[in-house]
Structures are given as structure tokens and as C-alpha cells.
Amino acid sequence: MEYRSANITERGFMYGKWMTAPNTWTITFGGGVYSYLIIGEEKALLFDTAYGMGNLREFVEGITQKPVIVVNSHGHFDHTGGNPWWEEVYAGPGAETTMKKAFSPEMQEDFNKKPFPDYQVHTVREGHVFDLGGRQLEVIEIPAHHESSIALLDRSNRALYSGDELEAGQVLLFVRNELLPLKEVVANHMANMNKLKAHWDEFDVIYPAHNGPGLHKSYIDDYIALAQHVLAGDAQIMPDLAGFGWAPSVEGSQFASLGALERAQYGGASFIYVKE
């Protein structure tokens, strides 16, 4: 019997998975990028598709045979690369401008070979509800890290899915389509965190797209406080950029041309941005 597949390489399994709650699966690629498979009575929802290497659809269908709705937290390729395994996807406004643009020519070539590289994109806005049958997920628009960012609120399982706008490592504020002055994008981020705070009694756990899923909701308070310190000009500036997945220097990286970067931190919250 042949054991190898598109999702098994000489280094082992390309994707990992674990169940965090009944009918709720975390799917990890490379240990640092997380997608979420949320299963209802009639349908399933896949929140983000990572880089799309291997055969993500085959992996997902190994977990559930229910029809899958694909939704992107935002339009960056490490969340949309696997989209062309499906005919259509849903995303926040503005995602379509970047979601089909890979990070390298090699990734673009792989993307173009997938079954549906011209997949259809449906834009969803604040308040849209995905009904999976006995389980509904509501869209909350939270654009700061990227113009198209959305969160999903799963009230029945008291969970919030936050994409890249809130996580345990850092929120990058310099990878938008249109760069904004630091204080403007930080003010936007704080407004978004206050919007999530308004749902405080409706969820207990936060599932971000990077650096460890299953955060306590107090991270929202840390990000609000961090934004307040940045806006006041008295934020704690870290001596280097060291953090989850970040070396002390990004010299030679794809970000080097943007100029010097800086990390501000409060509690468990961190922003990385172009130093002004």
C-alpha cells in the first residue's frame, strides 16, 4: 500500500490537526500558520487556507465530507494560497486586490497549477452570518493589519477567530495595501479591539492565525492598552525585534527596503511597525 501523498513529504506530514472543541479543528501548516475547520450539522467552514502547498482540500475532506465554505481572514497569501482548491471563497472588502498574489514566483507557479486559480470571490461585510446548520458564525470587520481583515464570532461555542489582527506574537502594522501614519493605524486597531470588547460576554477563547491558538480574551485589553501608550507617545520600545518567528534583525528580508522597524509591547501585546 502506497503511504505517500501530496501532503506527506520526506520530512513528514505537511499539515497537522487537532480538535480544540467538538467539531472544531485547528489545522497547522509549518507549525506557525493556523487555519480552522468549523463543522456544523449541514456544512463546514474553513477559515483561511495557508500557503496551499500539498493538497489542502484532500486533507480537509479527510476530516469532514460536508460541503465546505472557504472564508479568508484577510487578503495576504499565507492565508489565501490554498483558495484555488475550491471554486469560490468569501472575504472582507479589499481582499481581492492581493489574495491571488503569491510571495514568490515559485509560489505563484504552484498557485496557477491548482484546479481553480480564477476562483470566485464573494465580499462579506459586518454582520454577515454563515449558517452551518445549528451553528452560526458572524462577521466582524476589524481592518488595521490589512484593509480586508475580518473576525468570526462563534457564539454557540464561545469562540472568536481573529486572523492576524490579534495574536500572541505580534501584529504587523506595515503590511497593508496602503501604509498609514503609525498613530492612525494604531487608532484604527484600538477601535477594532473595542468593537471586539463589546462582545466580551459572548466568547471565552480567541483563535489567531499565527503563534499559538487558544488565547485568553484578556489579550484584547492588552492590545487596547498598548494602543493607548503608542498614541500617548510613552509605549515600551523593545531593544530589538525578537519575538515569535522574528530574529533580532530583518536585514536581508523582504521587509528590509521599508526602513527600520520597531517593536512596542504591553503585557502580551506587541506591534511591529516602520519607525517614524
Side-chain angles (χ1 to χ4, degrees):
M1 176 178 175
E2 179 60 42
Y3 185 62
R4 295 284 179 184
S5 76
N7 295 318
I8 303 174
T9 72
E10 67 280 358
R11 298 181 64 183
F13 292 104
M14 187 174 292
Y15 295 99
K17 68 179 188 295
W18 56 88
M19 186 171 13
T20 56
N23 292 314
T24 307
W25 292 83
T26 299
I27 297 174
T28 178
F29 173 80
V33 181
Y34 299 97
S35 305
Y36 298 96
L37 184 62
I38 304 157
I39 305 171
E41 295 172 3
E42 300 170 6
K43 302 176 184 178
L45 185 149
L46 180 64
F47 196 43
D48 284 343
T49 61
Y51 291 96
M53 296 175 186
N55 187 328
L56 180 60
R57 183 162 186 165
E58 177 185 279
F59 188 84
V60 169
E61 290 177 349
I63 302 173
T64 181
Q65 290 296 306
K66 293 177 180 177
V68 174
I69 302 168
V70 177
V71 184
N72 294 136
S73 64
H74 62 293
H76 285 151
F77 194 77
D78 54 329
H79 304 267
T80 65
N83 287 358
W85 285 111
W86 286 269
E87 297 89 335
E88 60 182 1
V89 306
Y90 294 80
E96 69 280 355
T97 63
T98 55
M99 64 199 313
K100 297 181 181 180
K101 298 177 182 179
F103 292 161
S104 72
E106 294 77 16
M107 288 184 185
Q108 193 70 57
E109 182 179 2
D110 183 58
F111 176 93
N112 294 338
K113 290 178 180 178
K114 289 184 169 59
F116 307 104
D118 295 320
Y119 59 84
Q120 186 177 5
V121 181
H122 303 284
T123 299
V124 291
R125 300 302 304 260
E126 181 87 16
H128 180 92
V129 175
F130 293 100
D131 190 345
L132 308 181
R135 191 172 189 179
Q136 291 78 39
L137 292 97
E138 182 178 334
V139 171
I140 303 173
E141 293 186 46
I142 51 170
H145 165 83
H146 192 257
E147 289 87 339
S148 64
S149 289
I150 61 173
L152 295 181
L153 177 61
D154 182 0
R155 291 183 176 89
S156 61
N157 284 268
R158 302 191 57 79
L160 179 75
Y161 298 87
S162 64
D164 280 5
E165 296 288 349
L166 190 163
E167 55 138 294
Q170 59 272 314
V171 173
L172 308 183
L173 298 180
F174 61 90
V175 287
R176 300 167 46 85
N177 295 344
E178 179 184 354
L179 291 181
L180 296 175
L182 175 61
K183 289 192 174 182
E184 182 176 347
V185 70
V186 167
N188 291 344
H189 193 277
M190 183 170 66
N192 294 335
M193 293 301 103
N194 279 311
K195 184 190 291 189
L196 297 180
K197 180 88 171 179
H199 296 278
W200 189 261
D201 294 333
E202 298 176 292
F203 66 92
D204 297 318
V205 62
I206 299 169
Y207 293 103
H210 297 287
N211 298 319
L215 304 182
H216 189 269
K217 59 186 180 181
S218 61
Y219 272 79
I220 291 176
D221 288 332
D222 283 357
Y223 272 101
I224 291 172
L226 174 59
Q228 291 171 337
H229 283 292
V230 171
L231 295 175
D234 61 2
Q236 178 188 11
I237 306 303
M238 306 305 291
D240 55 41
L241 297 179
F244 288 85
W246 283 76
S249 171
V250 290
E251 183 178 352
S253 78
Q254 69 267 38
F255 304 131
S257 63
L258 297 174
L261 301 180
E262 191 167 72
R263 174 190 288 271
Q265 183 166 314
Y266 179 91
S270 293
F271 289 139
I272 294 182
Y273 48 86
V274 176
K275 185 176 181 180
E276 295 183 322

